[in-house]
């Protein structure tokens, strides 16, 4: 089997430096975090501009129409590069906060550890945690804590996870400091430290990501090639794998939370069954090879993870059939690809919450019933590119 993908369009206003992270929002727009210090929001299709209108206000019919790939909003540039970006996956209602507010939130982190929470619809900055601020709570020393490198926002919008130099995972409050939803345990507001979970390995944490179906599960990878799944409630490591011999730069969960794929500098992708509790490399479901240089980014298709998407320093994007353990599509961009993300069809997460599976419904729609209509990429050129599967719109 092979899959054909068509280049749909490019961003109309590229970044001036590399894109190091990108994410597709629940509304199908694309957020990008760049080496040029800017966070930007792009529209995926022809749409009306919502910029300048309050989020609860009807948009006038004569509002400016934006072309596909237009930049909707740019946040003021940070003096240092943004390196990590997270949006709420399968947003769930948080007590005391509006569900739609949670689904509009994004978290971004700088190369030096500054973390910022934004409402990407209104453009409002909801919270900022700056490097050098005195902190209290788990994992601090003399009132200070290590800077974060990678961050992940929980689906309920209450907390976020971070990792960095110590190799541990820290859980922080993601409640805006001015929010009435602030609880006693989060009285310091955004960025306050709630828990610090050691992995037993003091190796640099490269990537952290919440399970899309269970905020109590957080996956983390490190510079020596290990992957951990942590239980947030118990503050322990529940599973660890040593499937790589080099840094793991990216992780991708399947939409049902059963599978997780790791992308490494060793040029390999490894798929694990996240339901298996083990501390070895024997639980690997699949090893995928084909990239000529380190793999920088990975994403599993939003339904049941039947397809995988990877971006590499070799300038290619590969689409993999996970069941067949082989590459079924290649796109050649020519420059390192730091970020990849699937574009979902409809609301795949709500289908899964209703108990609808691909076998019961004949698929989630999209490419091969995977729930994806195409994908987006970002990389060294600072340009977002949209691709669609043949026959998709």
């Amino acid at each position: 089997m092979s899959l054909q993908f068509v280049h749909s369009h490019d961003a109309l206003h590229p970044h001036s430096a590399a894109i190091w992270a990108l994410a597709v929002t629940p509304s199908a727009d694309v957020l990008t975090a760049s080496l040029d210090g800017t966070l930007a929001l792009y529209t995926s299709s022809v749409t009306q501009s919502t910029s300048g209108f309050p989020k609860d206000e009807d948009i006038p019919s004569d509002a400016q129409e934006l072309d596909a790939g237009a930049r909707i909003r740019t946040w003021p540039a940070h003096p240092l590069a943004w390196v990590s970006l997270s949006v709420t996956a399968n947003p769930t209602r948080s007590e005391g906060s509006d569900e739609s507010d949670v689904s509009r939130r994004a978290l971004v982190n700088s190369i030096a550890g500054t973390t910022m929470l934004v409402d990407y619809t209104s453009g409002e900055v909801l919270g900022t945690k700056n490097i050098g601020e005195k902190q209290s709570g788990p994992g601090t020393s003399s009132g200070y804590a290590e800077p974060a490198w990678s961050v992940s926002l929980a689906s309920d919008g209450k907390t976020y996870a971070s990792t960095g130099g110590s190799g541990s995972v820290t859980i922080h409050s993601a409640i805006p400091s001015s929010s009435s939803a602030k609880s006693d345990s989060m009285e310091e507001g955004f960025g306050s430290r709630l828990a610090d979970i050691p992995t037993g390995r003091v190796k640099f944490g490269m990537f952290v990501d919440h399970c899309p179906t269970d905020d109590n599960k957080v996956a983390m990878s490190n510079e020596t090639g290990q992957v951990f799944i942590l239980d947030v409630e118990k503050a322990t490591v529940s599973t660890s794998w040593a499937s790589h011999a080099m840094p793991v730069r990216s992780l991708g969960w399947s939409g049902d939370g059963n599978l997780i794929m790791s992308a490494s500098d060793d040029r390999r992708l490894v798929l694990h069954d996240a339901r298996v509790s083990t501390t070895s490399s024997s639980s690997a479901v699949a090893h995928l090879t084909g990239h000529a240089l380190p793999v920088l980014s990975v994403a599993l298709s939003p339904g049941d993870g039947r397809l995988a998407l990877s971006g590499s320093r070799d300038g290619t994007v590969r689409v993999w059939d996970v069941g067949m353990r082989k590459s079924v599509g290649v796109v050649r961009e020519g420059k390192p690809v730091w970020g990849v993300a699937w574009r979902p069809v409809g609301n795949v997460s709500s289908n899964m919450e209703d108990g609808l599976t691909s076998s019961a419904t004949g698929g989630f729609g999209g490419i091969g019933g995977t729930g994806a209509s195409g994908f987006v990429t970002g990389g060294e050129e600072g340009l977002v590119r949209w691709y669609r599967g043949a026959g998709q719109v």
Side-chain angles (χ1 to χ4, degrees), residues 341-392:
W342 290 101
R343 294 178 56 209
V345 174
N347 193 342
V348 175
S349 61
S350 65
N351 289 342
M352 298 183 72
E353 289 168 2
D354 292 339
L356 302 178
T357 64
S358 57
S359 58
T361 64
F364 293 104
I367 304 163
T370 61
S373 63
F375 59 86
V376 293
T377 67
E380 201 70 21
E381 295 176 292
L383 185 65
V384 184
R385 290 190 170 96
W386 282 258
Y387 299 89
R388 59 180 175 84
Q392 302 293 314

Side-chain angles (χ1 to χ4, degrees), residues 73-240:
R73 177 172 290 106
T74 305
W75 283 262
H78 188 274
L80 296 173
W82 295 117
V83 296
S84 180
L85 174 65
S86 176
V87 297
T88 46
N90 304 345
T92 58
R93 184 176 293 279
S94 173
E95 182 181 352
S97 64
D98 183 77
E99 180 178 6
S100 61
D101 287 345
V102 173
S103 70
R104 297 177 174 125
R105 292 178 185 171
L107 190 70
V108 66
N109 196 73
S110 80
I111 197 169
T114 296
T115 307
M116 181 174 72
L117 181 72
V118 301
D119 180 318
Y120 55 79
T121 300
S122 68
E124 181 183 2
V125 175
L126 303 174
T128 303
K129 197 67 175 177
N130 292 308
I131 56 173
E133 288 184 4
K134 293 203 72 173
Q135 300 183 52
S136 60
T140 58
S141 177
S142 303
Y144 294 93
E146 69 172 17
W149 174 261
S150 177
V151 293
S152 174
L153 189 59
S155 64
D156 65 4
K158 288 183 176 182
T159 62
Y160 71 90
S162 71
T163 191
S166 71
S168 65
V169 171
T170 304
I171 306 300
H172 309 256
S173 169
I175 302 296
S177 298
S178 59
S179 173
S180 61
K182 194 167 47 175
S183 69
D184 291 340
S185 63
M186 300 180 187
E187 61 183 1
E188 294 182 32
F190 178 77
S192 59
R193 301 167 68 89
L194 308 177
D196 189 70
I197 310 172
T199 61
R201 298 279 291 179
V202 186
K203 299 295 181 181
F204 196 95
M206 301 290 295
F207 196 88
V208 65
D209 196 20
H210 279 86
C211 173
T213 59
D214 185 357
D215 283 341
N216 192 50
K217 287 183 180 179
V218 175
M220 189 273 277
S221 65
N222 69 15
E223 64 178 332
T224 60
Q226 288 182 294
V227 177
F228 304 87
I229 296 181
L230 300 99
D231 185 308
V232 174
E233 184 176 348
K234 296 179 180 178
T236 59
V237 174
S238 58
T239 304
S240 65

